[in-house]
Amino acid sequence: MISKNEVYELTIEDMGKDGEGIGHVDGMTVFVKDTVVGDRAAVKMMKVKKNYAYARLMEILEPSPYRVTPLCEKAVSCGGCTLQHISYEQQKELLQKHVCNCLSRIGGVEGIDSLMEPLIGMEEPYHFRNKMQFPVGMDREGRPALGFYAGHTHALIPLSDCPAGHPVNRKIIRAMREYLMEAEVPVYDEEQHTGLVRHVLTRVGFYTGEVMVCIIINGSRLPEQDLLIHKLQEAVEIDDYKQNVVSLRLASVSISINRDRTNRIMGDHSKTIFGADAITDRIKDLTFRIAPESFFQVNPEQTRKLYGKALEYAGLTGDEIVWDMYCGIGTISLFLAEKAKCVYGVEIIPQAIENAKENAGLNHISNAEFFVGKAEDIVPKLYAEAPERYRADVVVVDPPRKGCEAELLHCIADMQPDRIVYVSCDPATLARDIRILGERGYDLRKAVAVDMFPHSMHVEVVSLLQRVSNTRPKAITLDVEMEDYYRIKGDRTND
């Protein structure tokens, strides 16, 4: 009988969906954070359920051959890079295995190994993020600090740098701390809902060198703004970042007003206090305007590869009508428009559609049209009004983590496109939706995982589904509970 707070020895045999190790004690499945397949470890039982338990790592008795020393000294306590203690080659194997298991177990896809292309990883899996969001608080000495939250908490871990972000962030962090101390600006206290500065958001145009800083505040203005701008300019424009191929410049500083007692980061109102309202960056030959609130993929190098695969899978010849559903600010839409007869994008967020139209104009693309609303409402209405104009030869979807709405999947199947390109940030919901589309006459033909977020279990997947049947079976309801699926080793992915 396993007891809480007791120490046991085990060997890590598998990995879970959040990067935790999985071992067994007396036949019970035990999840242990910060371990690797092959580790022999002493662990302390923290939570014991009927069929599984959670334990804390106490000591590595015999290290796994896949174990490495994390580059970041805060990797263990920070809630971001949960896999930095695992060699990057092994990380890629874990991600590939995770995707394959989701597609086969949840999606019911047979022969998945023959359909999956090799995972697309990074040559240098550090300093890849173009966007960072730092919560602001106080360190142990009572001084202002920027950092990240510890995993599953809102306890601030002060940082001087983050190896996932662009190197300029370390100087922005230092400049912000100096400004907060010199101007005596009170930082936000989440429990008391007092103080002014809540978060600092940064964006870097990797191919333009434009840098944005947005300060999220619990108020209407920042004191001594000139001091802040001077310090940020000085930090950004000292160009000693060895990986840079372009010179950096501070292009935009803004404040976002968020007075709500909420965990939401950005406020409803923003005001530019220096430079432009947005920065620009490029993906291949296309230029995009990026505001503080804009959704834009955070890994520029891997985004090029991801969108390249989506375009390859779409198989466009120049004659196709393409629908891009969940189009956001039009990034994928504009890539497709260069090879398609026309592209229709639909997105529920009005500001994103305005950005998409601006980006189309910025790139002189005239064969892309954008609509605001739910795809499951907009597409059937337009298709009924003008079926020849609004038909779909190819459909591209890039939904949020929860996947596509069932109504949208049924709508897509009713339009009978030849091909569906599904871009997903969650292999489990992708697999669920592939199974639904399979019941509507579409087969998965190939898929590829792209590591957009090295050192984490988050992975993007591009998949191609081909129409093979005109049948219209009734919609099915999947009896798949995702939490149950992930919980016990026999029913969870072997990440």
Side-chain angles (χ1 to χ4, degrees):
M1 181 71 179
I2 294 178
S3 301
K4 183 178 178 182
N5 294 325
E6 291 296 317
V7 176
Y8 299 85
E9 294 184 10
L10 52 65
T11 298
I12 301 300
E13 308 160 1
D14 208 342
M15 299 294 290
K17 72 179 181 70
D18 295 320
E20 71 276 35
I22 303 173
H24 291 86
V25 175
D26 295 338
M28 177 175 280
T29 301
V30 182
F31 301 104
V32 190
K33 185 177 176 290
D34 305 318
T35 55
V36 190
V37 171
D39 277 342
R40 180 73 182 166
V43 303
K44 183 178 181 180
M45 294 298 168
M46 306 305 295
K47 185 185 293 185
V48 179
K49 299 290 188 178
K50 182 178 179 181
N51 297 313
Y52 61 95
Y54 293 97
R56 176 185 296 164
L57 175 64
M58 304 301 290
E59 182 183 0
I60 297 294
L61 304 175
E62 295 179 22
S64 163
Y66 307 122
R67 177 173 285 278
V68 297
T69 301
L71 181 64
C72 177
E73 61 181 16
K74 302 293 180 68
V76 173
S77 54
C78 177
C81 299
T82 56
L83 303 183
Q84 263 198 47
H85 59 291
I86 304 175
S87 71
Y88 188 56
E89 288 305 311
Q90 182 65 11
Q91 289 182 36
K92 292 189 289 185
E93 289 188 22
L94 292 174
L95 294 176
Q96 183 83 347
K97 195 174 183 182
H98 174 44
V99 173
C100 287
N101 282 332
C102 284
L103 293 176
S104 60
R105 295 185 181 187
I106 301 176
V109 178
E110 298 181 357
I112 186 59
D113 289 338
S114 65
L115 300 178
M116 286 292 301
E117 297 184 36
L119 178 140
I120 300 174
M122 299 193 70
E123 292 184 13
E124 175 53 51
Y126 292 100
H127 301 300
F128 56 86
R129 289 186 63 98
N130 59 19
K131 174 187 174 184
M132 303 293 285
Q133 295 179 137
F134 300 105
V136 180
M138 304 294 281
D139 63 18
R140 291 182 179 180
E141 285 73 41
R143 298 172 302 190
L146 283 71
F148 292 130
Y149 292 132
H152 308 293
T153 76
H154 271 215
L156 183 71
I157 300 174
L159 295 173
S160 58
D161 190 16
C162 173
H166 190 287
V168 74
N169 282 291
R170 66 175 178 264
K171 293 193 174 181
I172 293 176
I173 289 173
R174 186 170 64 194
M176 282 300 308
R177 289 187 61 196
E178 290 175 357
Y179 160 73
L180 292 170
M181 288 188 290
E182 290 180 26
E184 298 182 346
V185 181
V187 301
Y188 184 67
D189 184 312
E190 191 175 47
E191 292 185 3
Q192 301 298 321
H193 191 51
T194 57
L196 184 63
V197 178
R198 303 174 66 135
H199 280 78
V200 175
L201 175 149
T202 68
R203 289 185 183 270
V204 182
F206 273 47
Y207 301 101
T208 62
E210 297 178 9
V211 177
M212 166 188 289
V213 179
C214 178
I215 300 96
I216 296 85
I217 61 173
N218 179 40
S220 59
R221 69 179 305 277
L222 280 171
E224 299 192 41
Q225 291 180 172
D226 289 345
L227 174 65
L228 169 66
I229 292 165
H230 171 72
K231 286 188 174 294
L232 290 175
Q233 283 181 310
E234 191 176 58
V236 168
E237 294 173 7
I238 298 176
D239 193 358
D240 60 354
Y241 312 111
K242 63 181 180 180
Q243 72 176 47
N244 272 9
V245 294
V246 293
S247 296
L248 302 182
R249 68 179 183 88
L250 186 67
S252 173
V253 181
S254 62
I255 57 174
S256 177
I257 299 169
N258 182 0
R259 288 181 164 137
D260 295 339
R261 194 164 193 159
T262 175
N263 291 335
R264 180 169 58 96
I265 295 177
M266 297 298 292
D268 295 324
H269 308 288
S270 295
K271 181 169 62 175
T272 301
I273 61 175
F274 173 81
D277 295 335
I279 62 171
T280 60
D281 205 9
R282 293 191 297 272
I283 305 176
K284 292 189 175 179
D285 296 328
L286 297 176
T287 300
F288 294 91
R289 185 176 182 274
I290 310 162
E293 305 84 3
S294 297
F295 171 79
F296 194 72
Q297 291 282 6
V298 301
N299 187 327
E301 178 183 337
Q302 295 298 86
T303 297
R304 290 173 170 233
K305 300 171 186 176
L306 181 80
Y307 289 175
K309 274 295 175 183
L311 186 59
E312 174 191 326
Y313 283 8
L316 302 178
T317 65
D319 297 324
E320 294 85 1
I321 296 175
V322 182
W323 273 96
D324 179 13
M325 303 175 185
Y326 305 97
C327 71
I329 65 170
T331 46
I332 294 181
S333 300
L334 301 185
F335 267 85
L336 299 170
E338 293 186 309
K339 302 290 185 181
K341 178 180 179 181
C342 65
V343 174
Y344 300 116
V346 59
E347 167 66 53
I348 195 171
I349 302 172
Q351 184 58 50
I353 289 297
E354 288 303 311
N355 293 154
K357 292 176 179 178
E358 291 173 357
N359 288 324
L362 194 62
N363 291 281
H364 310 290
I365 292 175
S366 59
N367 63 331
E369 189 174 353
F370 297 97
F371 304 92
V372 177
K374 294 181 178 179
E376 57 267 28
D377 296 335
I378 296 293
V379 178
K381 179 176 180 295
L382 292 173
Y383 184 63
E385 293 173 355
E388 184 57 31
R389 178 178 179 181
Y390 293 113
R391 74 178 194 274
D393 299 308
V394 176
V395 166
V396 177
V397 293
D398 185 5
R401 189 165 297 279
K402 67 178 182 177
C404 293
E405 299 291 341
E407 298 90 343
L408 179 58
L409 297 175
H410 301 156
C411 169
I412 292 171
D414 287 338
M415 295 179 74
Q416 298 187 349
D418 293 329
R419 297 177 296 286
I420 301 170
V421 178
Y422 195 132
V423 182
S424 171
C425 59
D426 189 325
T429 55
L430 166 67
R432 178 201 67 199
D433 291 351
I434 283 176
R435 188 167 181 176
I436 293 174
L437 289 167
E439 295 290 330
R440 306 281 295 189
Y442 286 85
D443 279 355
L444 178 67
R445 291 299 174 87
K446 53 184 173 180
V448 62
V450 182
D451 187 15
M452 300 285 287
F453 312 99
H455 315 298
S456 79
M457 287 301 294
H458 297 299
V459 62
E460 296 267 343
V461 184
V462 186
S463 55
L464 170 64
L465 294 97
Q466 186 82 36
R467 183 163 67 92
V468 294
S469 170
N470 290 323
T471 59
R472 289 287 178 266
K474 293 181 180 179
I476 63 169
T477 301
L478 293 180
D479 186 19
V480 177
E481 294 292 338
M482 306 308 278
E483 290 300 318
D484 291 341
Y485 171 79
Y486 279 132
R487 186 155 286 150
I488 306 302
K489 183 179 184 298
D491 293 321
R492 66 184 283 131
T493 59
N494 295 317
D495 305 72

